[in-house]
Amino acid sequence: MSSPGRPARDLCCKNGSVTRASLEKQPHEVASMFDDVAERYDLTNDVLSLGQDRRWRKEVARAVDARPAQKVLDLAAGTGTSSLPFSRAGAYVVPCDFSQGMLQVGKRRQPWMPFTAGDATRLPFKDDTFDAVTISFGLRNVQDTDAALREMYRVTRPGGRVVICEFSHPTWAPFRTVYTEYLMRALPPVARTVSSNPDAYVYLAESIRAWPDQSALADRLRTAGWSSVAWRNLTGGVVALHRGFKVTGQS
């Protein structure tokens, strides 16, 4: 098993695919890793989160508050599970991901959705296109976080909003210790029982531990141009929901 930061050539491989990305987050590594887990991705997330992922998706849907005829961009949408609430609300939702494996599974399960291949740092959309842009548990996997935040800002129309759901830092110290132990010791063995690629979930644990805390991510949103940035914690800070707005008249 590789260690964080090793170059791609030293990473474990399976059928020619990278099974575990490094914390350098090279796009081809991350995409290949997600290609390999696409088929059982949603099931694995449900098991590893103890069912909390369903609650988190509901909170994202409330924060996005999609309305009929609005355009919503769902980045890192994977198989499209996260996009369903926006579609059901009557919005025109575009699920976007750079993992071809995820997109293929999504197209098979939700063939009516306009699944689109795209890199969060170079989005294939015009300026001021979407009423809302959202990304759940995907920003952490982007190599250049700040470039992605700027791209989300660019494609959002003035008056529109961004909603980011991402793993974060539990606020209560004793719980934070237990959570860290779960990530690094319990999560990988559990992943071996349900995932087609358990090594990917070692990367998951490492990337969560290395991710900035709530206030640091809020600062990066402001630097990218977003206004009225705020966040709230879910499950004691295991996950944080950040929201910001593109002020009317800004570009």
Side-chain angles (χ1 to χ4, degrees), residues 204-246:
L204 171 72
E206 292 170 344
S207 65
I208 292 172
R209 189 170 63 171
W211 187 244
D213 66 13
Q214 292 88 326
S215 61
L217 181 55
D219 287 342
R220 293 173 87 158
L221 276 158
R222 295 186 189 100
T223 299
W226 297 98
S227 300
S228 302
V229 174
W231 77 85
R232 62 189 180 92
N233 293 313
L234 305 177
T235 318
V238 168
V239 165
L241 203 61
H242 284 71
R243 185 164 65 176
F245 294 88
K246 184 171 180 175

Side-chain angles (χ1 to χ4, degrees), residues 8-9 32 46 72 79 102 112 117 120 151 156 196 206 220 231 244:
R9 64 178 179 274
S32 180
D46 202 30
V72 177
T79 63
M102 288 287 194
W112 66 90
E151 275 291 271
T156 301
S196 58
E206 292 170 344
R220 293 173 87 158
W231 77 85

Side-chain angles (χ1 to χ4, degrees), residues 11-20 29 32-33 35-36:
L11 296 172
C12 299
C13 291
K14 177 181 178 182
N15 299 324
S17 299
V18 174
T19 59
R20 174 186 168 193
E29 293 178 17
S32 180
M33 181 182 70
D35 288 347
D36 203 42

Side-chain angles (χ1 to χ4, degrees), residues 29-143:
E29 293 178 17
V30 178
S32 180
M33 181 182 70
F34 279 102
D35 288 347
D36 203 42
V37 301
E39 196 65 47
R40 304 187 71 184
Y41 180 74
D42 295 316
L43 170 64
T44 304
N45 284 349
D46 202 30
V47 171
L48 294 180
S49 71
L50 306 178
Q52 287 294 300
D53 60 320
R54 291 176 238 174
R55 180 199 163 204
W56 298 333
R57 282 198 298 271
K58 289 179 180 177
E59 294 299 331
V60 170
R62 290 192 187 100
V64 171
D65 191 25
R67 304 294 176 86
Q70 287 189 337
K71 294 181 179 178
V72 177
L73 174 60
D74 187 14
L75 288 175
T79 63
T81 300
S82 59
S83 303
L84 286 172
F86 314 128
S87 179
R88 289 168 180 158
Y92 177 77
V93 57
V94 178
C96 182
D97 205 292
F98 70 172
S99 164
Q100 291 294 333
M102 288 287 194
L103 293 173
Q104 289 169 7
V105 173
K107 288 175 183 176
R108 190 173 72 243
R109 294 178 182 173
Q110 283 87 229
W112 66 90
M113 286 188 181
F115 285 89
T116 302
D119 184 330
T121 63
R122 296 185 301 276
L123 292 173
F125 307 106
K126 294 180 180 179
D127 296 357
D128 305 335
T129 297
F130 297 96
D131 296 282
V133 177
T134 185
I135 182 169
S136 293
F137 308 110
L139 187 60
R140 191 187 71 260
N141 300 316
V142 177
Q143 187 176 41

